[in-house]
Amino acid sequence: PETLERTKDEEYYSKRGCTKAQLLYIKLFKLTKEYIKHHLRTTDGNKMSVNKAVIIVYKENINIFPNWADSSLNSYYYKGENLTINI
């Protein structure tokens, strides 16, 4: 179910010109961050990685997110594959 906070976030970013795809990335990011906050470790005791969390969150909320095409950046992101973050 949608919470008031999520609805306000979508409204905020929509007013700033974000596309539907960008709004979905924001939603995936927020859900993943929340998931990691509540699941610091995997079932085998290892530290929860962002890649693993993205996969779990995507699969648990597949009705929210589109079926992104294979070999697309979106596909790699939700599968948690080929992700590199440069800071």
Side-chain angles (χ1 to χ4, degrees):
E2 290 293 310
T3 64
L4 182 58
E5 181 181 326
R6 286 186 187 157
T7 304
K8 284 184 178 182
D9 282 347
E10 287 180 18
E11 184 180 325
Y12 173 84
Y13 289 111
S14 290
K15 285 181 180 178
R16 277 141 188 82
C18 288
T19 65
K20 185 173 181 174
Q22 289 169 326
L23 292 172
L24 289 172
Y25 273 121
I26 292 166
K27 186 173 286 203
L28 183 59
F29 166 78
K30 288 179 179 267
L31 290 173
T32 300
K33 184 176 176 182
E34 190 68 20
Y35 185 86
I36 292 172
K37 181 179 171 183
H38 294 288
H39 301 88
L40 299 175
R41 302 237 170 242
T42 60
T43 54
D44 59 4
N46 293 322
K47 183 179 176 185
M48 179 62 70
S49 71
V50 173
N51 289 4
K52 183 150 187 86
V54 167
I55 293 167
I56 293 167
V57 168
Y58 180 83
K59 287 181 179 176
E60 287 181 354
N61 297 281
I62 201 155
N63 58 323
I64 296 173
F65 301 108
N67 185 10
W68 286 309
D70 287 339
S71 300
S72 71
L73 178 60
N74 296 338
S75 171
Y76 290 136
Y77 186 79
Y78 85 77
K79 290 178 184 173
E81 298 174 350
N82 298 332
L83 292 178
T84 304
I85 300 173
N86 295 319
I87 298 177

